[in-house]
Amino acid sequence: MSKAMEAIDTANVPDLRTAFDRDPDRLERYVIRQGPIRFDWSKTHLTDELVQSFLALAGDMDFAARRDALFAGEPVNVTEGRAAEHPAERGEGRPESVARARAQHMRMRALIEAIDAGDLGEIRHVLHIGIGGSALGPKLILDALGDGVSRYDVAVVSNVDGTALERAMKGVDPRKTLVAVASKTFTTTETMLNAASAVAWMDEAGVDARSRVIALTAAPEKAVEWGVGEDRILPFAESVGGRYSLWSSIGFPAAIALGWDRFERLLAGAAAMDRHFRQAEPAANAPLIAAFADRYYARALKCQTRALFAYDERLALLPSYLQQLEMESNGKRVTAGGQAVDGPTAPITWGGVGTDAQHAVFQLLHQGTVLMPVEFIASLAPGHSLDPAHHRALLTNCFAQGAALMQGRDNPSDPARAFPGNRPSTTIVLDDVTPEALGALIAFYEHRTFANAVLMGVNPFDQFGVELGKEIARAIEKDGARGFDPSTTALIELI
Ligand code: F6P
């Protein structure tokens, strides 16, 4: 174990309740303002000694060189031998990749303009079919920024359960629908089955489905094979990972719904965070400091979960988006070099929306026996025009929760009403949920995930863990209940 790691593992847990008295400048040092976002780690257990130890660990792990390699388009995804070039999609990275992404964006823009101009016939509905990274990002953006701005009615369908697609098609006129099939590989079973059913639905209505289906993919040849005309394919690079792909043509439903200008603003917000991550000094680098806190709680304090609460209805889908980003990226047990990792990797990311969650799960956060870091995400400006009392109540509740977790309350005569306190939280406040702020927020989480991976020595860009279950499902589809344990055999026989 490195010296830095030993220092982290043996660090005392300071009492948060006295942290500000012991260190009057604490607030100033643990608040980072970056563009439209204010990050506050002052109510976490980070101390200057810990930050110094983590900086030493980052040095041991060659953090700066690895970050440079990411932006230089080097094959940082070592197990698959390819680069991870999502930053190039927003204009940051290897010049050739930035130019390629720009050209692909222009192709997407031209197709959107053609659709807007009616070149594909009258379109009122867009059915976006994809799963995982090919659905979660667009869904989050549409939900956060799409209110009242789109001339189209856009639905995202992911689950292979036909109920999802059937619900999305209900009341929708197939003659006025555009289907966007989003799949990096263009082989994902769920997506291809849903796409085939959507095409059948259009065929039944007498629509020439081939003229109304577009493909968003890094495998254009597969889309052609499947029957999509080349001029309706919006490609993106193989080096853009699925869960990092919302910036590419996978963002098509967001771009068509929000309008090109807002989509560009989303990219610009992410690019500003890219530059911050590359250029800010380590002790003032938001994704890096966040990763230090993450590693401290997961590794030194053995916290197995990390909870996130969006105190803004517009960000309600953020926890589920981040579940894929963090758990699929860093839910690993071996290092990039194939050695067993010497400690816990990604905790379980979970969460919900405030204030709803306060009336459901917060009891455990305040008085349960499980310690977990909590993250609050709020916006200073409301997403509605109702009485400002709503937003005041939302924000005061959010900030009160962080204070209550930290302060606790002694009650020796009545233990059921006592609160232990000393429970950590981070508070992230956006000026408003604008395209720029959301782009920056998502890029912050991407880089935080990357920084965590570097500190642990894992590759955040592969996801072999999802393969075995898929393989077995294919075997069941092909050979039925052969060669399985009695429980699985009996279950398969139920089908
Ligand atoms: O099963 C996991 C996964 O590979 C994700 O990483 C990815 O986002 C999702 O499936 C969808 O893949 P595709 O875009 O190739 O359909």
Side-chain angles (χ1 to χ4, degrees), residues 301-307 348 350 361-374 405 420-424:
L301 298 194
K302 310 277 180 275
C303 298
Q304 294 194 347
T305 83
R306 188 170 90 75
I348 295 159
W350 69 283
V361 297
F362 273 42
Q363 163 63 38
L364 181 145
L365 304 187
H366 289 288
Q367 287 188 315
T369 51
V370 180
L371 176 69
M372 75 188 86
V374 175
L405 285 166
N422 197 21
R423 300 196 166 192

Side-chain angles (χ1 to χ4, degrees), residues 371-442:
L371 176 69
M372 75 188 86
V374 175
E375 193 150 294
F376 299 105
I377 302 110
S379 159
L380 279 186
H384 60 84
S385 53
L386 296 184
D387 186 340
H390 285 276
H391 205 59
R392 232 178 9 253
L394 183 70
L395 293 185
T396 51
N397 268 280
C398 175
F399 303 154
Q401 290 300 326
L405 285 166
M406 181 175 78
Q407 281 168 14
R409 175 179 288 158
D410 289 340
N411 203 336
S413 61
D414 190 354
R417 290 184 172 79
F419 295 75
N422 197 21
R423 300 196 166 192
S425 66
T426 303
T427 310
I428 300 177
V429 181
L430 279 56
D431 290 341
D432 193 0
V433 182
T434 58
E436 291 84 354
L438 186 58
L441 184 69
I442 297 171

